[in-house]
Amino acid sequence: RDYALPVACEVGFNPTELAAHGSFNKSQKVQLEMAQARSLELQKEFPDARVIMLPVTGYAQADHEYKERTGEVLFKNFFARGLDMLSESNAASAGRDDPSRQFDVREWNARNGGSNVGLVPAVVFVKN
């Protein structure tokens, strides 16, 4: 909660396919590799674009902003794996079990996958 993405930072998501296909039940390491593979593919068309995994505060900010704009929550029934490591073995995840529930941050073993913990790819553009 001590970290927030910079105000000038723009991050893109695909709300119709928020979680990367095939990313559930994967470790954080595998999900990061999936983001890297997507990034390399995207860079063929957009050289300055990167696909990244965010810290959980970034997903919280996105969920809040999406609700402000649309009236609906972005994370409806699963959790995004966060970049944050909470201990040597546990990573953070953020989301909710149901649209009627509050946004929640939880810990999950980074080496284990979870049926409701997926990669939510965020697209950013970097400047040289």
Side-chain angles (χ1 to χ4, degrees):
R1 83 183 154 170
D2 292 335
Y3 177 79
L5 296 177
V7 175
C9 178
E10 290 189 49
V11 178
F13 298 97
N14 180 355
T16 58
E17 187 183 338
L18 192 58
H21 179 73
S23 68
F24 292 95
N25 290 312
K26 305 281 191 268
S27 69
Q28 183 188 43
K29 180 180 183 286
V30 169
Q31 290 170 335
L32 284 165
E33 290 167 353
M34 293 174 77
Q36 176 67 19
R38 284 175 161 245
S39 192
L40 293 173
E41 189 63 33
L42 183 63
Q43 287 173 49
K44 291 177 184 175
E45 188 171 351
F46 302 100
D48 294 336
R50 302 292 184 273
V51 176
I52 63 172
M53 179 185 290
L54 293 174
V56 292
T57 55
Y59 294 121
Q61 287 174 270
D63 190 77
H64 177 77
E65 182 66 26
Y66 190 80
K67 185 164 185 179
E68 289 287 313
R69 291 181 184 213
T70 68
E72 296 181 19
V73 296
L74 184 60
F75 291 89
K76 294 176 176 44
N77 60 358
F78 69 92
F79 289 77
R81 175 89 69 174
L83 192 56
D84 321 64
M85 290 302 294
L86 303 176
S87 69
E88 285 189 31
S89 61
N90 289 333
S93 60
R96 57 177 59 81
D97 292 314
D98 182 86
S100 66
R101 310 271 314 258
Q102 271 189 307
F103 189 87
D104 191 18
V105 175
R106 299 178 179 173
E107 65 180 329
W108 192 259
N109 189 299
R111 290 181 291 250
N112 294 337
S115 62
N116 68 339
V117 180
L119 166 65
V120 175
V123 177
V124 296
F125 284 85
V126 296
K127 295 180 183 178
N128 293 330

